Amino acid sequence: MCPVAAIDDPALPEMLAELAAARADEMDADTVNRELSIAHKAIGWWRRQGWIEGDPAIGIERRPAPPDRTKALAQNQIAALWRLDVALREKTQWKMLYESAARADEVLCLNVEDLYPQDKRGKITAKGGATEWIHWQSGTARLLPRLIARPRCCWPAPAMPSSAPWDGPAPPGRGSVTGWRAS
């Protein structure tokens, strides 16, 4: 008998429903729904393999997720951000994120040799390993040459968690623009 066959126990659906309800009281709806989705996928696959016949998760419903109430920053908030007295690297990174709408891990993984400042673009590796391009506007275009021209050993340490792996200083033309690797 396959060990997964124990899932066909007739008492399991009720016990699983109780466990799911208790889990829903402890965690937010997105976490519970993600875990439930994973369980449904595994059960479906086990059923297609013929390892189990029933669905012990039947009747366990997704939890309603609260609406996302995050809002984009207002124009005056963005203007205040640009006026902050921060290091050139942070200001360049914020501008690039804002102007390109790229994901933070994509910008953090940019290498100097993948930047094309004259074209206002950079080559990134997107999710799944595909090579794609991010494009930025004049704010980043003004800051980036100043950042690239600075010796890497003089770049200030970025405000990143101490658990992030450090990639610099590296020889010119090597390493990431920010000095941090996304883990």
Side-chain angles (χ1 to χ4, degrees):
M1 178 169 99
C2 179
V4 179
I7 293 176
D8 272 332
D9 182 336
L12 188 59
E14 183 180 336
M15 186 174 18
L16 197 55
E18 289 173 15
L19 288 171
R23 181 80 171 147
D25 291 339
E26 298 172 0
M27 304 303 292
D28 69 358
D30 290 331
T31 300
V32 172
N33 290 339
R34 182 178 57 251
E35 292 170 351
L36 184 59
S37 177
I38 292 167
H40 279 299
K41 292 286 185 187
I43 290 165
W45 190 77
W46 293 330
R47 290 178 76 187
R48 285 190 303 280
Q49 301 304 310
W51 296 347
I52 63 173
E53 293 184 22
D55 181 353
I58 198 146
I60 301 175
E61 300 293 324
R62 292 178 56 83
R63 303 290 180 202
D68 183 2
R69 300 212 188 284
T70 56
K71 295 181 181 177
L73 295 176
Q75 194 61 38
N76 65 330
Q77 293 172 309
I78 294 293
L81 181 66
W82 300 149
R83 287 190 303 268
L84 289 176
D85 184 24
V86 295
L88 177 62
R89 178 173 42 201
E90 279 68 31
K91 192 168 279 198
T92 305
Q93 186 176 1
W94 296 348
K95 279 277 189 185
M96 187 178 288
L97 287 166
Y98 178 75
E99 293 179 350
S100 70
R103 292 187 354 258
D105 64 330
E106 293 170 340
V107 171
L108 287 170
C109 288
L110 275 171
N111 291 320
V112 174
E113 59 269 14
D114 295 331
L115 299 175
Y116 297 84
Q118 68 282 7
D119 299 329
K120 296 182 184 175
R121 66 183 187 151
K123 186 170 40 171
I124 60 163
T125 303
K127 279 186 171 180
T131 298
E132 294 181 5
W133 295 90
I134 62 168
H135 300 268
W136 53 81
Q137 298 170 13
S138 53
T140 303
R142 278 191 300 273
L143 295 171
L144 198 53
R146 291 174 34 209
L147 179 64
I148 293 171
R150 295 176 75 181
R152 290 223 14 173
C153 63
C154 299
W155 290 5
M160 291 289 287
S162 61
S163 61
W166 177 243
D167 187 31
R174 297 190 45 110
S176 68
V177 176
T178 62
W180 292 100
R181 292 190 316 255
S183 300

